[in-house]
Amino acid sequence: YEIPCRLVGSEMCIRDSQWKRSKKGNEYLKIDGHVVVIYHDDRGKGSWRYSLDNEFCRTVYADRERAVAGVFEALEGLRAKG
């Protein structure tokens, strides 16, 4: 089941979506044809990252909410490129 976020506010859609959990315990979501994974990086305290379509971000976020905001910005960047 995929969420077409272009029908609603993208950021709200990402934040309020029902995230699923992988076998490894990472949260993931299929949205607008993309697969987003949010995960806690065990190498640092309070370190959160995301991957978008299996491309891992280099930015480390202090908490989950900031990582989700980073995903939103990345998806918006992809939409702007068309």
Side-chain angles (χ1 to χ4, degrees), residues 3-17 31-32 72 76 79:
I3 301 166
C5 277
R6 57 188 162 275
L7 301 177
V8 296
S10 297
E11 186 170 16
M12 182 178 71
C13 185
I14 292 170
R15 291 180 192 280
D16 296 340
S17 294
I31 187 165
D32 283 348
F72 166 72
E76 287 299 307
R79 281 194 198 125

Side-chain angles (χ1 to χ4, degrees), residues 11-28:
E11 186 170 16
M12 182 178 71
C13 185
I14 292 170
R15 291 180 192 280
D16 296 340
S17 294
Q18 186 68 18
W19 291 78
K20 297 180 182 188
R21 193 161 301 274
S22 72
K23 290 179 183 178
K24 291 183 177 182
N26 298 322
E27 294 177 82
Y28 72 95

Side-chain angles (χ1 to χ4, degrees), residues 8-73:
V8 296
S10 297
E11 186 170 16
M12 182 178 71
C13 185
I14 292 170
R15 291 180 192 280
D16 296 340
S17 294
Q18 186 68 18
W19 291 78
K20 297 180 182 188
R21 193 161 301 274
S22 72
K23 290 179 183 178
K24 291 183 177 182
N26 298 322
E27 294 177 82
Y28 72 95
L29 184 66
K30 293 180 181 177
I31 187 165
D32 283 348
H34 301 285
V35 177
V36 175
V37 179
I38 299 286
Y39 62 98
H40 187 260
D41 188 348
D42 294 332
R43 292 178 281 191
K45 184 178 179 182
S47 299
W48 287 84
R49 296 179 186 247
Y50 70 83
S51 72
L52 178 58
D53 296 333
N54 222 16
E55 298 231 1
F56 293 86
C57 77
R58 294 181 180 173
T59 305
V60 176
Y61 297 92
D63 55 43
R64 182 189 176 280
E65 293 304 313
R66 289 184 181 146
V68 170
V71 168
F72 166 72
E73 289 176 17

